[in-house]
């Protein structure tokens, strides 16, 4: 990756800061942090050239970056909507209407779980597994923020207020 | 109400901004760690106290913590590591999140004491990626405070102690809660569990001696050193020392995290959570996270919420996540939802788990869609039995136990489901 990279300067600095938490030669440990930073800078998804840039930054073979990007559920390797909405439907949420909440949002947004709205505003993540807020069921996560004890009206309002 | 609440891992409710260093210090926080830094508390004393306290791991398996620590080679060449498991992703479980949000310093002190006891000079806290919004910033802020106060770093205090502590943020994968999957992930790889042996104490992170402990386990340590092993033991029940934060979820009036002495009766805990919601009857409870066997009302009503009582009843304390189901719950649908989770989260290394979890999910779906036959119940059980014990890690067992226990206690409901959908189908063709 001589000289040119797709990564902005501040991401590169943050990636190096992350790598410094690990012993010398163990910078591979920083790949999750690096991919998260790269994804956030790129509107929520990772392209192949971007993953290659991460590989360059951490001096790793690209395959070691691809296999991580495709293993973990918080990485997207295709374009998705700008706001990520994850409704938990696991058992504790399911018992209190998590499934119905997801169905309601699918209806309202006119997309299925795993799809994004045509205007690219909202990505409704595939049926989400337990997010460790089970005593606040039903719940959803919107761009890293948790919303608990939700009614369908709450969910409508929260999703409605998301920036274009 | 007969159930006393205690606050070891959770802060007392009256504490203001309990996540701040000042607040933690006001309640006696860092007193034991300061004694270490002054050279007044030795590693061997910490190890002895934790062994004597009877503390057992809160991550699910209940392994004796002091014993686990003693597996670390003494006087080993550095580095060796302490890793805290804040991956918290067992369905129903949400108390580690509250420790990170409301009491991060108790975890930091617990990690420091544990690392010192084992001769580990570096610690990582592996926090699940979804906690990026609130728990991670709280933990990071506390870590900065502790560092600035000379509690974390190199050459600390008179005793010149080294303890570096770093955060690590995951990216979404249940399997990374399994301790060797977690170590793989910490090395920057897909979180596929390793064969054991070697155990992490011999060869863990980067091949170095490593101990992995759960957040709540480590958060329990400062209270043991502050108040003594006997005090801690006396709090709980036989073989179940100390407290547990029970995450009570599902069909109750007041779901919540309730920290109570181990051995509290299920009935008291349920009452504390406001009882079964909507005035309904209790049907079943999964007492320790979705992976442990379900118990019907008449059995759980007789149980104390500790390791021995629940294991005698045919289930387990697991993570202390108490999932309550009322009389209206369809057990076939509930089991299918649980089965889907293990199917989605199997890492795919072991054939019985990768293939078997898909079979379980599809067969249960078939039952709900009216495409199953009576013989399918035995087949379902057969698939579960063939996953259990045949995989590298315990995710396979965790997928099998719900199926086995739902069928054991609620088989007539499954049979009725199959019969009723079969007769509907016949009626449709008639
Ligand atoms: C599939 C699977 C998922 C697990 N998830 C977690 C978890 O999220 N948090 C946790 O502390 N332990 C989890 N464990 C247990 C860990 O492997 C390990 O036993 C535990 O962190 C040890 O800590 P303890 O001795 O303090 O309980 C999981 C185990 C398995 C098999
Ligand atoms: S089951 Fe939904 S957050 Fe745990």
């Amino acid at each position: 990756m001589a000289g040119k990279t797709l990564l902005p300067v501040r991401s590169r600095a943050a990636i190096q800061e992350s790598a410094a938490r690990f012993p010398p030669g163990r910078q591979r440990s920083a790949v999750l942090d690096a991919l998260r930073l790269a994804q956030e800078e790129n509107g929520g998804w990772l392209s192949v050239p971007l993953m290659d840039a991460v590989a360059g930054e951490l001096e790793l073979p690209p395959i070691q970056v691809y296999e991580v990007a495709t293993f973990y559920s918080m990485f997207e390797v295709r374009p998705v909507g700008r706001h990520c909405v994850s409704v938990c439907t696991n058992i504790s949420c399911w018992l209190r209407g998590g499934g119905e909440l997801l169905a309601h949002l699918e209806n309202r947004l006119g997309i299925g779980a795993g799809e994004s709205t045509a205007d690219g505003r909202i990505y409704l993540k595939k049926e989400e597994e337990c997010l460790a807020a089970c005593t606040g069921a039903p719940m959803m996560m919107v761009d890293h923020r948790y919303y608990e004890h939700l009614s369908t009206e709450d969910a409508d309002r929260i999703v409605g207020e998301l920036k274009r | 109400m007969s159930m006393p609440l205690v606050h070891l891992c959770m802060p007392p409710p009256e504490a203001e901004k309990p996540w701040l260093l000042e607040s933690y210090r006001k309640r006696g926080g860092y007193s034991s760690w300061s004694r270490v830094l002054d050279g007044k508390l030795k590693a061997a004393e910490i190890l002895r106290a934790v062994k004597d306290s009877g503390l057992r791991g809160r991550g699910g398996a209940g392994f004796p913590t002091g014993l686990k620590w003693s597996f670390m080679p003494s006087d080993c060449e550095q580095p060796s590591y302490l890793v805290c498991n804040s991956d918290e992703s067992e369905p129903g479980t949400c108390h580690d999140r509250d420790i990170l949000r409301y009491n991060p310093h108790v975890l930091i002190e617990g990690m420091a004491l544990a690392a010192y006891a084992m001769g580990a000079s570096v610690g990582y806290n592996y926090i699940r990626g979804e906690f990026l919004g609130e728990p991670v910033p709280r933990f990071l802020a506390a870590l900065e405070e502790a560092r600035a106060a000379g509690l974390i770093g190199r050459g600390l205090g008179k005793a010149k102690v080294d303890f570096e502590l770093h955060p690590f943020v995951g990216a979404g994968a249940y399997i990374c809660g399994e301790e060797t999957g977690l170590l793989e992930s910490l090395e920057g790889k897909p979180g596929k569990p390793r064969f054991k042996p070697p155990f992490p104490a011999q060869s863990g992170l980067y091949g170095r001696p490593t101990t992995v402990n759960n957040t709540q386990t480590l958060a329990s340590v400062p209270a043991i050193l502050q108040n003594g092993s006997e005090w801690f033991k006396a709090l709980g029940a036989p073989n179940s020392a100390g407290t547990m934060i029970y995450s009570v979820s599902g069909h109750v009036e007041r779901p919540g995290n309730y920290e109570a002495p181990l051995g509290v009766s299920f009935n008291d805990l349920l009452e504390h959570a406001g009882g079964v919601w909507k005035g309904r009857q209790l049907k079943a409870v999964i007492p320790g996270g979705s992976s442990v066997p379900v118990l019907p009302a008449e059995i759980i009503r007789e149980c104390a919420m500790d390791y021995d009582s629940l294991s005698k009843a045919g289930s387990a304390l697991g993570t202390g996540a108490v999932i309550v189901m009322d009389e209206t719950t369809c057990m076939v649908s509930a089991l299918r939802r649980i089965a889907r989770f293990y199917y989605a989260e199997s890492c795919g290394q072991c054939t019985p788990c990768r293939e078997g979890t898909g079979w379980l999910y599809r067969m249960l779906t078939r039952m709900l869609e009216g495409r199953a036959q009576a013989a399918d119940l035995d087949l379902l059980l057969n698939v579960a039995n063939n996953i259990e014990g045949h995989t590298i890690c315990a995710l396979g067992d965790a997928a099998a136990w719900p199926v086995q226990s739902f069928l054991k206690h609620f088989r007539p409901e499954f049979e009725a489901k199959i019969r009723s959908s079969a007769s509907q189908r016949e009626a449709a063709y008639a």
Side-chain angles (χ1 to χ4, degrees):
Chain A
M1 293 287 131
K4 267 216 149 92
T5 170
L6 284 174
L7 296 168
V9 177
R10 67 164 177 268
S11 304
R12 296 186 64 186
I15 291 170
Q16 292 306 332
E17 195 182 308
S18 166
R21 295 190 191 122
F22 308 100
R26 300 295 185 178
Q27 76 280 8
R28 186 175 178 184
S29 286
V31 70
L32 275 74
D33 270 351
L35 286 172
R36 182 180 315 104
L37 287 159
Q39 176 166 292
E40 229 138 79
E41 288 285 345
N42 190 47
W45 75 287
L46 295 160
S47 63
V48 172
L50 200 52
M51 290 188 268
D52 290 344
V54 165
E57 186 64 31
L58 289 172
E59 296 171 40
L60 299 173
I63 182 69
Q64 292 186 356
V65 176
Y66 305 158
E67 66 175 358
V68 166
T70 51
F71 184 83
Y72 294 91
S73 68
M74 291 178 76
F75 297 130
E76 305 294 341
V77 290
R78 57 187 175 87
V80 293
R82 288 183 295 284
H83 298 286
C84 180
V85 175
S86 313
V87 180
C88 173
T89 61
N90 210 312
I91 188 71
S92 302
C93 287
W94 180 85
L95 288 168
R96 295 180 80 100
E100 289 82 353
L101 186 65
L102 176 64
H104 172 83
L105 285 179
E106 284 179 328
N107 250 328
R108 188 191 134 102
L109 297 170
I111 52 174
E115 297 171 355
S116 299
T117 52
D119 61 359
R121 190 166 71 99
I122 289 169
Y123 169 42
L124 194 55
K125 212 158 157 111
K126 73 171 191 332
E127 230 175 295
E128 189 61 77
E129 297 302 350
C130 174
L131 294 168
C134 326
T135 57
M139 63 81 63
M140 65 180 182
M141 177 173 76
V142 180
D143 300 335
H144 299 314
R145 204 166 145 195
Y146 279 31
Y147 297 90
E148 303 178 43
H149 302 290
L150 290 173
S151 64
T152 47
E153 295 78 40
D154 295 335
D156 281 346
R157 185 177 40 74
I158 294 158
V159 168
E161 283 169 4
L162 290 173
K163 265 209 323 267
R164 298 242 116 226
Chain B
M1 211 155 294
S2 45
M3 183 179 100
L5 288 183
V6 270
H7 302 96
L8 309 189
C9 299
M10 293 291 281
E14 67 277 6
E16 257 179 67
K17 299 201 175 165
W19 52 85
L20 295 180
L21 177 60
E22 193 194 345
S23 169
Y24 182 60
R25 278 215 150 118
K26 253 193 229 152
R27 16 184 226 277
Y30 287 115
S31 56
S32 304
W33 184 236
S34 299
R35 282 171 59 218
V36 169
L37 300 187
D38 287 343
K40 290 183 187 140
L41 180 60
K42 299 283 176 235
E45 291 173 69
I46 302 175
L47 184 58
R48 174 111 313 261
V50 170
K51 266 191 178 164
D52 290 347
S53 75
L55 175 63
R56 296 171 64 171
R58 308 294 195 231
F63 195 84
T65 306
L67 183 62
K68 189 188 248 189
W69 291 5
S70 67
F71 295 153
M72 289 285 272
S74 52
D75 299 324
C76 69
E77 235 181 87
Q78 289 301 321
S80 56
Y81 298 103
L82 169 70
V83 176
C84 173
N85 189 342
S86 296
D87 191 52
E88 183 155 79
S89 29
E90 171 74 9
T93 316
C94 55
H95 37 52
D96 295 345
R97 170 173 174 241
D98 278 0
I99 294 175
L100 293 169
R101 289 197 295 170
Y102 302 126
N103 214 2
H105 282 290
V106 82
L107 175 60
I108 294 173
E109 184 178 15
M111 285 191 75
L113 292 165
Y116 188 70
M118 287 180 272
S121 58
V122 180
Y124 290 98
N125 186 12
Y126 188 107
I127 307 176
R128 69 178 292 178
E130 293 87 347
F131 283 176
L132 210 56
E134 197 185 4
V136 169
R138 278 277 166 78
F139 178 76
L140 288 180
L143 191 55
E144 279 321 302
E145 275 189 308
R147 200 183 295 282
L151 296 164
I152 299 294
R154 307 205 146 261
L156 303 167
K158 273 205 235 75
K160 298 273 169 265
V161 175
D162 290 336
F163 182 57
E164 278 296 351
L165 176 53
H166 303 287
F168 186 96
V169 180
Y174 170 61
I175 196 62
C176 292
E178 196 282 337
E179 60 180 8
T180 60
L182 184 149
L183 294 174
E184 287 287 298
S185 180
L186 200 42
E187 292 183 1
K189 303 170 192 165
K192 297 186 177 171
R194 302 172 179 171
F195 273 111
K196 293 189 262 191
F199 288 92
Q202 289 111 46
S203 177
L205 182 61
Y206 311 126
R208 305 293 312 166
T210 303
T211 291
V212 181
N213 274 129
N214 165 260
T215 311
Q216 195 181 157
T217 311
L218 291 164
S220 301
V221 170
I224 294 172
L225 287 146
Q226 222 173 315
N227 304 301
S229 310
E230 289 310 313
W231 170 87
F232 187 79
K233 224 192 255 176
L235 267 181
N239 271 326
S240 297
T243 65
M244 186 83 183
I245 307 176
Y246 297 97
S247 296
V248 186
S249 71
H251 294 157
V252 293
E253 284 292 342
R254 283 193 304 275
N257 281 322
Y258 301 104
E259 185 172 12
L262 276 158
V264 59
S265 77
F266 169 77
N267 289 328
D268 282 353
L269 187 61
L270 180 63
E271 191 190 330
H272 210 87
V276 179
W277 72 349
K278 303 179 180 176
R280 291 187 190 153
Q281 295 298 309
L282 182 67
K283 180 170 186 174
V285 173
I286 306 176
S290 72
S291 301
V292 309
V294 69
L295 293 174
E298 59 280 11
I299 295 182
I300 190 77
R301 285 275 189 204
E302 302 295 315
C303 286
M305 299 299 290
D306 61 44
Y307 296 100
D308 290 358
S309 173
L310 288 167
S311 108
K312 244 183 259 150
S315 186
L317 179 65
T319 61
V322 184
I323 305 166
V324 176
M325 296 181 257
D326 74 17
E327 57 190 320
T328 68
T329 312
C330 166
M331 298 313 265
V332 186
S333 311
L335 181 59
R336 180 176 75 143
R337 184 59 190 87
I338 292 171
R340 212 201 72 147
F341 170 70
Y342 296 100
Y343 175 40
E345 297 296 329
S346 171
C347 82
Q349 278 191 113
C350 311
T351 309
C353 176
R354 182 187 63 239
E355 301 301 322
T357 52
W359 272 94
L360 295 176
Y361 174 64
R362 286 188 298 270
M363 289 177 72
L364 286 159
T365 303
R366 212 154 78 189
M367 275 172 213
L368 283 165
E369 291 176 352
R371 293 182 289 116
Q373 282 143 22
D376 282 359
L377 285 181
D378 287 331
L379 190 56
L380 192 68
L381 203 54
N382 187 294
V383 173
N385 294 344
N386 277 304
I387 304 174
E388 187 190 16
H390 296 115
T391 53
I392 292 175
C393 87
L395 189 142
D397 303 338
W401 292 335
V403 173
Q404 293 163 341
S405 62
F406 271 69
L407 281 180
K408 177 173 165 198
H409 296 297
F410 299 97
R411 190 167 178 126
E413 195 175 326
F414 284 77
E415 288 167 348
K417 188 88 195 168
I418 293 173
R419 268 200 314 273
S420 79
S421 44
S423 54
Q424 268 168 21
R425 205 176 43 235
E426 270 159 33
Y429 284 117

